[in-house]
Amino acid sequence: MSVRLKLTLSYAGVIVVTGVLLLAVVWVFLLRYVPDGVWVQWPQRPGSPSAPFVPNRSDLERAFAPRAATMMGFLLLFGLVGGWILAGRMLAPLTKITEATRTAAGGSLSHRIDLEGRDDEFRELADGFDNMLAQLEAQVAEQQRFAANASHELRTPLAITQTLLDVAGKDPNRDVDALIERLRLINTRAIDLTEALLLLSRADRRSFDRDPVDLSLVVEEAVEVLLPLAEQRGLTISTPSEQARTIGSYALLLQLTTNLVHNAIVHNLPSGGTVSVTIAANEKSVVLTVANTGEELSREMVATLTEPFQRGTQRIHVDQAGVGLGLAIVKSITRAHDGHLAVLPRPGGGLRVSVELPSAPAQSR
């Protein structure tokens, strides 16, 4: 049976049971106290008319039972018809939600229910379903863009390799050592891109163990690895002295910090620039902030830097171009750790990136 039919039968059943209870009340508190088989004779006076007839219990039952049965039939019919109409009106929003789910199952994620009316449970369900469709549509569009960009990025080193081999095959005076060196660099870039894609996929799946992590140690290790690059560019790096603990994967948080510090070093002033790494902690969250000097950036450009393969044409450096996934990996790792990422341009030039992560519970510190 459908839900509408079940509700109809329920409404009719409630009405019939209510009628039966009312009849039972009449029997218990009225008819049972009427004598049965006793004729009541009124005293007569000379010349007065005959005494009136007073019905007993049997008379009342014979007169009341047919009308009570008729009323019970009417209540049953009324319950069925009224329940069917009422159940249909109540389930009408559910019908719209069902149609929307079938439309979404067919591949159309742009459809919305937009249920009108008062704020009840059906309205909350419809609004929640609309929000889910909006998020799914955005994620599918992001996945499609990512797949297209990844295919292009993976195709580029292969195409360059093929071109170099074709040119070398037609050049009898080719420099084999130079060709090998260029092929090695192109192959290294392809490997870096593949590893970055794998890391991004791992972070999106959240397939890692969550353990207490001291962010100050993570920052110390990341800065130690990148310090030679900073010294080569004439940059100074300031690191925090505070300790702050969060919950997550040490390896992924180290990759996050390394990406942030590496971006701050590469996209900096030609010389005399600075990179500042700070940590702020409270009972609920830990905030890791990496700020660097550099050229002035617009908010429009900064808003696109966390998208995969969005390097920003004005920020590409030939010697350290990267694969365009640095901040995208940071965003994915932050999201996998239930954190929040904020990327803002600095007024005097450069970038300020803040990662807010949940604090480790007190018992794990």
Side-chain angles (χ1 to χ4, degrees):
M1 293 189 294
S2 65
V3 175
R4 186 176 184 180
L5 181 57
K6 291 180 180 179
L7 289 177
T8 300
L9 295 178
S10 300
Y11 297 150
V14 170
I15 292 179
V16 171
V17 170
T18 303
V20 170
L21 291 177
L22 290 176
L23 293 178
V25 169
V26 172
W27 169 257
V28 172
F29 294 99
L30 182 61
L31 292 180
R32 65 180 298 185
Y33 295 106
V34 176
D36 189 16
V38 178
W39 292 90
V40 179
Q41 300 292 335
W42 292 82
Q44 298 182 2
R45 295 179 181 180
S48 63
S50 59
F53 171 73
V54 179
N56 57 19
R57 186 194 306 172
S58 299
D59 297 328
L60 293 178
E61 289 176 351
R62 285 193 297 269
F64 180 72
R67 291 168 179 79
T70 303
M71 182 56 63
M72 290 300 300
F74 173 76
L75 288 178
L76 177 61
L77 179 62
F78 177 79
L80 292 174
V81 176
W84 183 262
I85 296 174
L86 183 60
R89 291 178 60 87
M90 291 185 60
L91 295 177
L94 192 59
T95 303
K96 294 186 63 176
I97 296 175
T98 303
E99 293 175 354
T101 58
R102 291 174 178 170
T103 303
S108 176
L109 298 178
S110 60
H111 179 73
R112 298 293 182 272
I113 301 175
D114 292 330
L115 188 64
E116 299 179 354
R118 64 182 65 183
D119 292 333
D120 54 10
E121 289 81 358
F122 287 117
R123 177 71 177 275
E124 293 179 359
L125 177 61
D127 291 344
F129 189 79
D130 285 344
N131 293 334
M132 182 189 68
L133 286 180
Q135 294 179 4
L136 284 176
E137 185 180 16
Q139 290 180 359
V140 169
E142 182 179 353
Q143 291 278 346
Q144 292 174 346
R145 291 195 304 269
F146 177 80
N149 291 331
S151 300
H152 174 74
E153 293 289 335
L154 289 172
R155 180 179 179 274
T156 299
L158 297 177
I160 295 175
T161 300
Q162 183 65 41
T163 302
L164 289 176
L165 292 175
D166 291 342
V167 173
K170 297 177 181 179
D171 185 7
N173 299 321
R174 56 184 175 271
D175 188 346
V176 178
D177 294 337
L179 176 62
I180 293 175
E181 181 63 21
R182 294 186 65 181
L183 290 176
R184 186 187 65 80
L185 293 176
I186 295 172
N187 187 64
T188 300
R189 175 177 171 78
I191 292 175
D192 292 341
L193 176 59
T194 305
E195 290 179 349
L197 290 173
L198 291 174
L199 179 61
L200 188 61
S201 174
R202 178 191 173 195
D204 287 336
R205 293 196 311 267
R206 302 192 179 193
S207 56
F208 56 87
D209 297 328
R210 296 177 181 269
D211 300 311
V213 177
D214 190 344
L215 272 185
S216 61
L217 298 180
V218 174
V219 171
E220 181 180 350
E221 183 174 350
V223 171
E224 183 179 356
V225 173
L226 295 172
L227 188 58
L229 178 61
E231 293 176 347
Q232 179 184 352
R233 293 173 172 269
L235 305 176
T236 58
I237 302 179
S238 60
T239 57
S241 57
E242 301 86 356
Q243 291 185 349
R245 297 178 68 84
T246 184
I247 291 291
S249 167
Y250 185 92
L252 289 179
L253 292 176
L254 177 60
Q255 184 67 51
L256 177 148
T257 308
T258 302
N259 285 9
L260 290 179
V261 177
H262 182 268
N263 279 357
I265 294 174
V266 172
H267 305 293
N268 212 307
L269 297 175
S271 62
T274 60
V275 176
S276 174
V277 184
T278 60
I279 295 177
N282 54 48
E283 295 182 356
K284 296 183 179 180
S285 63
V286 177
V287 180
L288 171 66
T289 303
V290 179
N292 65 292
T293 54
E295 60 186 23
E296 293 189 6
L297 302 173
S298 64
R299 287 185 174 269
E300 291 76 12
M301 176 184 289
V302 170
T304 65
L305 294 180
T306 57
E307 295 296 325
F309 307 108
Q310 298 294 325
R311 302 181 183 88
T313 55
Q314 300 178 3
R315 303 181 73 234
I316 294 179
H317 296 267
V318 177
D319 55 343
Q320 293 288 339
V323 295
L325 290 174
L327 289 181
I329 292 176
V330 170
K331 178 181 178 181
S332 180
I333 295 176
T334 302
R335 186 169 51 201
H337 285 78
D338 301 322
H340 175 70
L341 175 66
V343 183
L344 297 173
R346 298 181 65 190
L351 202 63
R352 178 186 178 89
V353 183
S354 298
V355 177
E356 183 178 3
L357 301 171
S359 295
Q363 59 270 19
S364 62
R365 297 183 181 179

